[in-house]
Amino acid sequence: MVTKRTWLTGCSRGLGLAMLQQLLRDPEMEVWGFSRTRPEVEHARFFWQEADLAAPGVGFTVPEAACTAKSQEGNPLQAVYLINNAGWIGEIRHVGQLTSAGIAALFQLNTTAPLQLMNQFLALYGQDENLKRVILNISSGAALKAIDGWSAYSASKAALNRYSETVALEAAHRNSSLRCFSVAPGVVDTEMQADIRRAPADEFRNLEKFTQLKSSGQLWTPERSASRCLDLLFHPEAFSETLVDVRAENWPIASEQRP
């Protein structure tokens, strides 16, 4: 019986696709995916809506059918989740060499769209203490430090971290059970990493490091990172902090505890 719903952005490939596939293993879960291209997933509990989250304007509005108090089967929902996964590394160049259009598109996708979706999600479900509610924002370790060539990307993810912390703080002030996390997913073998390895060496001094991570097999698979990201969704009580890194030692969830 379907009693859970997830909104998932950037679900067509990489980490987002891996999370989609793992979410659908839960027979009680329906997933609403939002991306520019449709993932190659056909499932009775998967519903897809085309969405260009980097487009300027008033932002993407979640379809009404994904905003109801009942699942598509007609069962009252017991849990609702939002995963803001869509993201872009942007132009890997020093400040002064970036384009205004590139900066605007990056912040729209990495920061503004997630903030807007959190606002929609909380307007719908924020006051319903009968529901389990978890927000999971895919951030980056780059949010915590300056990296040459990544100024806009790092800043966009730092903003996402702070917004997540504020959502968590406001929930605590209301004595709400809602949880909000901003998670660094590790260095994952996705198209974004391929973009990083194509960066000009004179604009990105860490190029050799990222090239070696790939050649030496040190990148995490999307599936490995996805399983840890989803641990926060299914077991939020095991995590006390809002900012989480999947590479943390002594990870509290064992593989047998996953759906």
Side-chain angles (χ1 to χ4, degrees), residues 50-104:
E50 182 179 2
D52 184 0
L53 299 174
V58 296
F60 173 71
T61 300
V62 175
E64 288 187 12
C67 300
T68 60
K70 294 183 178 182
S71 71
Q72 293 301 289
E73 277 190 356
N75 309 308
L77 292 172
Q78 298 178 5
V80 287
Y81 307 106
L82 167 60
I83 304 176
N84 281 309
N85 167 71
W88 180 42
I89 189 68
E91 300 167 327
I92 303 178
R93 299 175 182 172
H94 285 183
V95 177
Q97 303 302 316
L98 302 169
T99 66
S100 295
I103 293 171

Side-chain angles (χ1 to χ4, degrees), residues 131-147:
L131 285 173
K132 178 181 179 181
R133 297 146 301 156
V134 182
I135 297 172
L136 181 63
N137 295 316
I138 302 303
S139 183
S140 171
L144 304 178
K145 58 186 175 182
I147 299 175

Side-chain angles (χ1 to χ4, degrees), residues 83-192:
I83 304 176
N84 281 309
N85 167 71
W88 180 42
I89 189 68
E91 300 167 327
I92 303 178
R93 299 175 182 172
H94 285 183
V95 177
Q97 303 302 316
L98 302 169
T99 66
S100 295
I103 293 171
L106 181 141
F107 273 92
Q108 176 63 40
L109 180 60
N110 290 3
T111 308
T112 303
L115 270 57
Q116 292 170 330
L117 282 170
M118 280 187 274
N119 191 58
Q120 290 183 50
F121 183 85
L122 290 170
L124 281 169
Y125 304 120
Q127 303 300 321
D128 192 345
E129 291 298 319
N130 293 316
L131 285 173
K132 178 181 179 181
R133 297 146 301 156
V134 182
I135 297 172
L136 181 63
N137 295 316
I138 302 303
S139 183
S140 171
L144 304 178
K145 58 186 175 182
I147 299 175
D148 68 307
W150 289 15
S151 57
Y153 179 72
S154 295
S156 71
K157 292 299 186 178
L160 186 61
N161 279 6
R162 182 51 55 90
Y163 197 83
S164 301
E165 290 176 314
T166 304
V167 169
L169 179 65
E170 292 173 350
H173 286 173
R174 298 193 305 270
N175 293 317
S176 173
S177 61
L178 179 139
R179 296 298 305 277
C180 182
F181 298 103
S182 198
V183 58
V187 187
V188 187
D189 195 2
T190 63
E191 186 60 31
M192 182 180 289

